[in-house]
């Protein structure tokens, strides 16, 4: 049973990593498409318009997640929030709520059990 659980966790971790890679590639492609080719009239440091909230929510949403690398679980979503514990790679968690903390440049998810917040 322990071996089966380990194999399932490895499969889930692999699938989560593949999905994350795909989502990141699609987001990068979309940002490149939105930015268009550079023009002489634009400064070289011009900003790319950030995705709309609806686009962000389509990528990051509540549901089952598999931790892909060790992550810190904290009391609240704020950057300086107190640490509760670390969650190890392969841990399956339920994210109940997702918030985009633009001021901290973080996407945070509220974990059901153990209760707390992580960056996703």
């Amino acid at each position: 049973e322990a071996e089966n659980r380990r194999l399932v966790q490895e499969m889930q971790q692999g699938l989560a990593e593949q999905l994350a890679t795909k989502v990141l590639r699609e987001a990068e492609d979309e940002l490149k498409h939105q930015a268009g080719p550079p023009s002489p009239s634009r400064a070289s440091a011009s900003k790319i318009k950030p995705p709309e909230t609806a686009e962000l929510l389509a990528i990051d949403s509540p549901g089952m997640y598999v931790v892909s690398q060790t992550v810190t679980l904290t009391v609240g979503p704020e950057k300086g929030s107190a640490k509760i514990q670390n969650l190890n790679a392969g841990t399956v968690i339920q994210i109940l709520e997702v918030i985009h903390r633009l001021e901290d440049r973080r996407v945070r998810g509220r974990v059901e059990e153990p209760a707390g917040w992580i960056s996703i």
Side-chain angles (χ1 to χ4, degrees):
E1 185 176 315
E3 178 66 14
N4 286 342
R5 192 173 323 127
R6 185 187 66 77
L7 290 172
V8 167
Q9 286 179 341
E10 285 179 9
M11 285 177 32
Q12 288 174 331
Q13 182 176 353
L15 290 172
E17 289 172 0
Q18 289 175 3
L19 179 59
T21 300
K22 179 182 177 198
V23 168
L24 286 173
R25 283 188 187 138
E26 289 173 356
E28 288 172 351
D29 289 346
E30 180 63 26
L31 287 174
K32 287 177 188 174
H33 176 72
Q34 286 178 3
S39 68
S41 63
R42 289 199 290 186
S44 61
S46 64
K47 292 184 179 178
I48 297 173
K49 179 183 168 223
E52 298 298 324
T53 302
E55 293 170 327
L56 291 171
L57 290 175
I59 296 170
D60 303 308
S61 59
M64 295 297 292
Y65 282 70
V66 178
V67 176
S68 61
Q69 63 185 29
T70 301
V71 64
T72 301
L73 184 75
T74 61
V75 173
E78 301 81 15
K79 190 173 183 177
S81 185
K83 177 182 172 180
I84 297 172
Q85 71 181 70
N86 286 332
L87 299 179
N88 296 321
T91 304
V92 179
I93 55 173
Q94 176 73 33
I95 297 290
L96 301 174
E97 175 184 2
V98 174
I99 61 171
H100 297 268
R101 296 200 38 94
L102 299 178
E103 63 274 17
D104 294 337
R105 302 185 69 180
R106 303 265 192 283
V107 178
R108 302 284 283 166
R110 184 167 60 90
V111 179
E112 180 178 43
E113 186 62 35
W117 291 83
I118 63 167
S119 290
I120 57 174

